[in-house]
Structures are given as structure tokens and as C-alpha cells.
Amino acid sequence: MKQPVRVAVTGAAGQIGYSLLFRIASGEMLGKDQPVILQMLEVPFEKAQAALKGVMMELDDCAFPLLAGMVGSDDPNVAFKDADYALLVGARPRGPGMERSDLLQENAKIFTVQGKALNDVASRNVKVLVVGNPANTNAYIAMKSAPDLPAKNFTAMLRLDHNRALSQLASKTGKAVADIETMTVWGNHSPTMYADYRFATIAGASVKDMINDEDWNRTVFLPTVGKRGGAIIEARGLSSAASAANAAIDHMHDWALGTNGKWVTMGIPSDGSYGIPEGVMYGVPVTCANGEYTRVEGLEIDAFSRERMDFTLNELLEERDGVAHLLS
Ligand SMILES: NC(=O)C1=CN([C@@H]2O[C@H](COP(=O)(O)OP(=O)(O)OC[C@H]3O[C@@H](n4cnc5c(N)ncnc54)[C@H](O)[C@@H]3O)[C@@H](O)[C@H]2O)C=CC1
Ligand SMILES: O=C([O-])CC(=O)C(=O)O
């Protein structure tokens, strides 16, 4: 049996937390042979702490063979202590009529505190995924607040957008989701994101050629994927939770256990490639192996793609400027 690893989850009593924790404890994230110790963080209010206790009671009641321990806390220094993985979910979600950027000032402060705590107490190899919105900029803040940890340890969740794009393409082409390869989503987890199927293939054949409808790409596909979060809020009255938890599981699973050469999308700090300034937390195609992600390099960027990639970049630069005062 492997040694247990420590997985910190913030916002553990929230909607996403409720869909996420049980899957981590059952081995869906890190493998059916990997015991885990869950270290759960919630805000220091009675209601949230009581709800967290309830979640921990239910985790107990599942008698998961891989659940080697549990810690519930309102202190990031306890929840992140020696954490090997940290899923930063806890933040206020948006409601109807709001954009994710509306959450910026309110949620940004959380990630300076949590970045510092990770810096102080987490494993030096901790893999951090930021889910709380606006995810890219919150991940950027956490990374900047943790100067002693490698920047590459901090990532933002674009996987839900990636998965949404796969489903739209499967439905358009009448093919199986599992057969679609080399799809990506560039940029910010916001409606400005650029879901790009120019390189995607199904059994070696080009998806772009199969669809052969640039008008559909621009007027149906891109807005559908970009605004899907808002469409879910309209329909459910609450933001996506099970699909978000699923995407978080996919992201961490692939980062830890590898993708066997398959592309997935992760928000990662830019190294300057593709004209994205260094350090910007930007969705790009990656492959993962041996616990590390590697950016897919050298893709051709045509004029339309450049325009879309710069558009989403500019939004990220504005968000970055909007939180600069928290990082000085
Ligand atoms: N990146 C992505 O693709 C997606 C991101 N999200 C975002 O995930 C976040 C969480 O969503 P839900 O679970 O639906 O919200 P929720 O409101 O149901 O749960 C959030 C939980 O976080 C807790 N929390 C707030 N501040 C905290 C802090 N400083 N430390 C620890 N816990 C804290 C709250 O008490 C609450 O229990 C939101 O920001 C939402 O917009 C949601 C869907 C997809
Ligand atoms: O849209 C929201 O606010 C929640 C979210 O990030 C998503 O569903 O993609």
C-alpha cells in the first residue's frame, strides 16, 4: 500500500465541495491505490463549520477504504499543513446577471491569505488548483503570494471549459467525446476564452474539416462554450457544481497520473510563448507525465486566433491591474 498523501480542499461545505470530496476519498482523483488524508477548510462561522462537520460525518459513513484521515478547520495554516495537493474552491460564486469579474475584489483577498499560508506550511511540491472565480486571477494572486514555492505549482481551472467544448463538438459531429483528441481552450475562464478546435482530430481526421462551418464556430460554438456557466446559472439558479467538481478531478488526476500524450487544457503561468507575457495565468494545451505538465509548443496561430487570444489576454491583464494593490 502507498503512503497517504494530504489533499487540502477549501470551501469544503459548499456545493462543489459536496460533489468533490467523496470522489477524492473514493480514489477517483489520485487512483484506487492511493490513500488520502482530507484537510478541509471552511470560513470561521458557526453555520459553515456545522455544515463541514456534517460533510465529515457523511465521509465517515462512506467507510472509504482509501480515506486515511480527515482534518476540518477554519485556519488555512492547519488545512494546508504539509499538503501535497490543494484545491482552492472556497469563494463566493456569482448569481444571475453577474460576470465572474464582478467577484474580483471580493474573492481576491482570500487568495493572498491562502497563497501565504501555502507558502508557509504546504509541501514544497504542492500541486495547487484554483477553482474559485475569477479562477485565473485568483491563481495568479495565490502564486504571487507564495514566493518560496515554484510558480509552476499554481494552476487555474480551464478544464470545465475544455470538457464543455468536447461535448459540443461530439454533438455537432455525431462522434464520441472519447474519440476527440487535441482540443484546447486558450486564455481566461470567462466568456472571452477561445475554445479552439483547429487542431482537433477524431480517428486522425480533422474536426475542422468535418464540421467545415466557420460561421457555426464563430456564432454558435464559441458563445455556447464561453457562456455555458451563465446558462447553467439561469437554468439552475445556482452555478455549476457537479460538472465543476468533475473537471477539478480530471485536472488533478491528469496532472498527477499523466495523460499518455493526450492534450488537456490547464491555466498555467505563461513562459512568454504564444505572445502571452510571462507569469500571466493563461489556459493553454498541455500534456502531463511524471507529475509535471508540459505546454504544447509551436502551434500555428492564425489572424482570427491571434485576435481572440489577445482579447482574452487583455481581460486578464486588466484583472491583474485590478488586484495589483493586494500584491504590493
Ligand atoms: N473555475 C471553474 O470552472 C468554476 C468555478 N466556480 C467557482 O467556484 C467557487 C465555489 O463555488 P460553489 O461551491 O458553487 O460555491 P458555494 O457558495 O456553494 O461554496 C463556497 C464555499 O466556500 C466557502 N468559503 C468562502 N470563503 C472561504 C475561505 N476564505 N476559505 C474557505 N472557505 C471559504 C463558503 O463558506 C462556502 O461554503 C465560486 O467562486 C464559483 O464561481 C464554479 C464553477 C466552475
Ligand atoms: O459561471 C460561473 O460563475 C461558474 C463557472 O465558473 C462555470 O460554470 O463555468
Side-chain angles (χ1 to χ4, degrees):
M1 201 60 161
K2 289 182 177 172
Q3 284 300 309
V5 293
R6 295 180 179 273
V7 181
V9 176
T10 74
Q15 296 197 81
I16 295 176
Y18 199 68
S19 290
L20 182 61
L21 290 163
F22 298 85
R23 294 185 62 186
I24 298 174
S26 75
E28 285 180 62
M29 187 169 92
L30 296 173
K32 297 284 180 186
D33 60 346
Q34 178 59 68
V36 294
I37 297 168
L38 283 173
Q39 305 190 160
M40 293 163 277
L41 183 69
E42 258 299 342
V43 286
F45 302 125
E46 208 179 316
K47 209 172 156 199
Q49 288 297 318
L52 176 57
K53 283 213 173 59
V55 171
M56 292 171 73
M57 286 159 71
E58 284 202 71
L59 281 161
D60 257 337
D61 293 350
C62 293
F64 287 119
L66 290 171
L67 186 55
M70 275 194 275
V71 178
S73 181
D74 61 7
D75 180 351
N77 289 310
V78 173
F80 295 151
K81 180 85 184 120
D82 298 326
D84 301 293
Y85 300 86
L87 293 89
L88 307 191
V89 178
R92 187 186 156 191
R94 67 175 168 147
M98 292 169 78
E99 277 309 334
R100 297 183 189 105
S101 51
D102 295 334
L103 300 169
L104 189 59
Q105 295 308 330
E106 194 169 335
N107 285 344
K109 289 181 215 115
I110 297 173
F111 294 86
T112 53
V113 173
Q114 295 187 356
K116 284 195 181 83
L118 285 164
N119 192 60
D120 291 347
V121 301
S123 155
R124 300 301 85 182
N125 298 319
V126 64
K127 289 180 163 56
V128 182
L129 167 63
V130 176
V131 175
N133 277 317
N136 296 53
T137 296
N138 289 338
Y140 173 80
I141 295 170
M143 171 182 86
K144 288 291 180 191
S145 305
D148 303 330
L149 293 172
K152 71 175 169 62
N153 294 18
F154 288 83
T155 66
M157 194 162 93
L158 270 289
R159 186 58 175 268
L160 182 52
D161 312 300
H162 181 99
N163 288 347
R164 286 168 172 162
L166 289 179
S167 278
Q168 295 298 323
L169 292 176
S171 135
K172 177 73 176 168
T173 56
K175 307 281 185 188
V177 166
D179 293 339
I180 304 173
E181 307 246 20
T182 52
M183 165 70 211
T184 197
V185 183
W186 302 96
N188 199 6
H189 173 62
S190 94
T192 65
M193 74 183 77
Y194 174 42
D196 182 2
Y197 63 79
R198 291 176 305 135
F199 311 104
T201 58
I202 296 174
S206 156
V207 168
K208 187 165 187 271
D209 291 350
M210 232 176 263
I211 293 173
N212 193 24
D213 187 347
E214 193 47 30
D215 191 49
W216 178 83
N217 179 31
R218 294 181 192 199
T219 62
V220 179
F221 176 72
L222 289 174
T224 300
V225 176
K227 295 182 188 160
R228 186 69 163 186
I232 304 283
I233 292 171
E234 282 304 313
R236 248 169 56 84
L238 288 169
S239 72
S240 317
S243 56
N246 180 67
I249 296 270
D250 283 351
H251 179 115
M252 282 306 209
H253 173 276
D254 289 353
W255 191 2
L257 300 176
T259 63
N260 290 321
K262 278 186 78 162
W263 293 16
V264 292
T265 303
M266 289 171 70
I268 59 174
S270 179
D271 66 349
S273 55
Y274 295 114
I276 311 305
E278 210 176 322
V280 174
M281 198 62 73
Y282 195 94
V284 294
V286 301
T287 57
C288 302
N290 305 317
E292 302 284 343
Y293 59 76
T294 306
R295 184 183 285 94
V296 177
E297 300 282 5
L299 298 171
E300 194 201 314
I301 306 301
D302 60 19
F304 175 71
S305 302
R306 185 74 263 161
E307 195 183 300
R308 293 292 311 227
M309 287 168 70
D310 286 347
F311 185 56
T312 187
L313 168 64
N314 286 336
E315 183 182 46
L316 280 168
L317 295 177
E318 275 171 29
E319 288 183 14
R320 188 182 70 178
D321 291 347
V323 297
H325 62 285
L326 292 172
L327 298 172
S328 52

